[in-house]
Amino acid sequence: MDIGKVSGNVLKRSVLGQMNTKREEMVNGAGMGVDCAIFSCGHEEGGTACMQEAPVCLGTELPAKQEVCMTLTHLIQKCANNLAAGGSAPYALMLTLLLPEGTEESELREFMWEAAQASGQLSMELIGGQTRISAEVKVPFAITAGYGKLRAGCEAKVPSPGQDIVISKWIGLQGTALLAKRYGKGLGERYPSYLIEEARGFDRYLSVIPEAEAAVKSGVCAMHDVSEGGIFAALWELAEGAGVGLNIDMRKLPLRQETVEVCEFCNVNPYELLSGGCLIMTTNDGQGLVDALGAEHIPAVIVGRVTEGRKRILRNGEEIRYLDRPRQDQIYKALHNIGE
């Protein structure tokens, strides 16, 4: 299997297909396109959502196999984003650190300082976890498990035919920032410095908590956090999990010019690029949701509709194509093909 997220078929066949135990406390468990699990707390205030994140490399240096590294700040933000996309308000975090033999105590202290700062900014309390040194670990790895309080009316909703599909902010933000930081020298030989600096600063857009909060207040039906695999993967996951079709206008997918330029330089497809900071929402009143997000100064646009059946159509003017199953994120292609 390739580096990165496993394919949808592998996920259904060898991961979800092995999870047979069902508990009555679970309102909504693991599944395709599901950002977090929802379980009942047994009291009037509703349920709690729990999202667990797979291990990721920490830091800025890349291992030999060109695996994407992520800072603890980004990992914790991603954890909070998944909770928010599941309709909950993040409030607690568990963190496990797996560190290589020979790691200095000062490095551990720096990791924990960063984790405390990042979780504190999100009003999430660090409630536990584990720290281990292992001879089998070659680079620092982290695993997060986040907890949130489910907002009223958000219990296990799925997209329904006829609903509008709304996307917040822009696609490819996280991948653009990562590539602009890594290949700034080469980009600087082709593009003006202000464009590169703006692309590097896309990290400031990575939280989807504000739009998720506003969307819940506006009666949103379903939400899905766009991340690895890009907007194409997220749309396919959303539709596959609900067993519905899509009709998407490619020309309306929001794309920053900085992303266009960085992707052209790196020869990657922006629609299949790491897109943390972008949220897909389905609703019966797309324009009302766009207006509500606009009132909170959050850019958003209607890009299509949920349809009957299982056809996932991408329209580009008169041209019509069909959405493919998600492929490996284009970030890996860029990291593999471009030299230092």
Side-chain angles (χ1 to χ4, degrees), residues 206-232:
L206 295 189
S207 175
V208 300
I209 296 175
E211 50 257 57
E213 290 179 348
V216 169
K217 294 176 183 177
S218 299
V220 70
C221 177
M223 297 184 285
H224 186 36
D225 180 32
V226 187
S227 56
E228 192 166 330
I231 188 63
F232 280 175

Side-chain angles (χ1 to χ4, degrees), residues 138-151:
K138 305 305 179 186
V139 294
F141 271 71
I143 307 167
T144 57
Y147 299 83
K149 184 177 180 180
L150 194 65
R151 302 179 191 278

Side-chain angles (χ1 to χ4, degrees), residues 100-117:
E101 189 176 13
T103 298
E104 298 289 341
E105 183 180 347
S106 60
E107 297 176 77
L108 171 59
R109 188 181 299 113
E110 288 178 7
F111 280 135
M112 289 309 303
W113 182 88
E114 182 182 355
Q117 294 298 307

Side-chain angles (χ1 to χ4, degrees), residues 146-285:
Y147 299 83
K149 184 177 180 180
L150 194 65
R151 302 179 191 278
C154 291
E155 295 83 0
K157 291 185 176 181
V158 296
S160 299
Q163 291 178 341
D164 293 321
I165 301 171
V166 176
I167 291 180
S168 71
K169 298 201 289 285
W170 307 276
I171 67 173
L173 289 172
Q174 190 172 9
T176 300
L178 191 156
L179 292 175
K181 291 173 184 176
R182 184 150 181 84
Y183 302 119
K185 182 178 179 180
L187 287 163
E189 296 173 356
R190 183 182 299 187
Y191 304 114
S193 59
Y194 69 83
L195 184 147
I196 302 168
E197 288 305 309
E198 179 65 18
R200 286 174 170 169
F202 280 177
D203 285 351
R204 67 186 185 273
Y205 296 124
L206 295 189
S207 175
V208 300
I209 296 175
E211 50 257 57
E213 290 179 348
V216 169
K217 294 176 183 177
S218 299
V220 70
C221 177
M223 297 184 285
H224 186 36
D225 180 32
V226 187
S227 56
E228 192 166 330
I231 188 63
F232 280 175
L235 286 168
W236 190 89
E237 290 165 356
L238 182 79
E240 184 71 9
V244 296
L246 303 173
N247 194 320
I248 304 296
D249 187 342
M250 285 276 293
R251 296 173 300 180
K252 292 185 177 179
L253 293 175
L255 190 61
R256 288 282 296 258
Q257 188 61 34
E258 293 86 353
T259 297
V260 173
E261 306 295 358
V262 169
C263 286
E264 181 179 337
F265 175 82
C266 296
N267 190 30
V268 297
N269 184 344
Y271 301 102
E272 297 177 342
L273 181 64
L274 198 61
S275 290
C278 180
L279 185 67
I280 302 176
M281 297 155 279
T282 70
T283 176
N284 294 319
D285 181 9

